[in-house]
Amino acid sequence: MSNQSTLADDDLFGEAAAEMREEVEGHLDDARAALPDADAVWDVEADNVLGVLNTLRSALDVGDAAEHLRQAKKTFIVGQRADAFDDPEDLKAEIEELEGLVTSIEDAEDLAGDLTGTVPEIRSLLQEAANAADGGAAEADGDAEA
């Protein structure tokens, strides 16, 4: 009876392992599908640089991709620790590749956000400098006339 029970347990474990692999792969597919559209990141229409940066920042939002990736990693870690995968290296490589892409996109989004705050400051400072130069030039003209 225990030999029969062991065979049934092995079958159940094999089934569970296959389901875990399918779950990881499903989350990875969902994560890829939730990534930003390449054309939305590249083709930006706006009236000025600030509009371009805001559009780009929005286009770089990874949305649900990060959460799907997180779920894939959680399931993978459990399956790996249970030694449930025949070949975990291919799943691990897919997870790492997608994780690198999501991180790069998030970094680019942060940079666009930083520039969104910096560019208006620079414009304001440049306008102040130009006004000061115009004021100084007008003052110099006034001194020359006197």
Side-chain angles (χ1 to χ4, degrees):
M1 179 93 166
S2 75
N3 194 19
Q4 214 173 25
S5 176
T6 302
L7 289 176
D9 289 349
D10 287 346
D11 288 343
L12 290 174
F13 184 80
E15 250 181 75
E19 289 171 4
M20 288 181 88
R21 183 176 194 85
E22 286 176 21
E23 184 177 339
V24 171
E25 290 170 345
H27 283 301
L28 290 173
D29 289 343
D30 291 344
R32 283 188 202 94
L35 288 171
D37 181 69
D39 289 337
V41 171
W42 190 254
D43 298 329
V44 177
E45 291 183 31
D47 294 331
N48 57 42
V49 171
L50 190 57
V52 169
L53 290 171
N54 280 325
T55 303
L56 178 60
R57 187 176 62 182
S58 294
L60 289 169
D61 182 13
V62 294
D64 292 336
E67 183 56 32
H68 288 298
L69 177 59
R70 185 176 187 282
Q71 292 300 322
K73 286 176 68 172
K74 280 179 18 183
T75 304
F76 175 76
I77 289 168
V78 170
Q80 187 179 35
R81 288 187 181 166
D83 200 24
F85 304 126
D86 290 333
D87 183 17
E89 293 307 311
D90 61 330
L91 282 178
K92 183 178 181 182
E94 282 186 63
I95 289 170
E96 288 173 352
E97 180 182 326
L98 192 54
E99 188 171 35
L101 177 57
V102 167
T103 299
S104 293
I105 294 169
E106 289 173 332
D107 289 348
E109 181 184 15
D110 289 344
L111 289 171
D114 290 346
L115 284 172
T116 300
T118 303
V119 169
E121 285 178 36
I122 291 172
R123 180 175 185 242
S124 180
L125 292 171
L126 290 170
Q127 285 174 332
E128 288 174 16
N131 290 341
D134 288 345
E139 202 174 291
D141 287 344
D143 290 343
E145 289 178 14

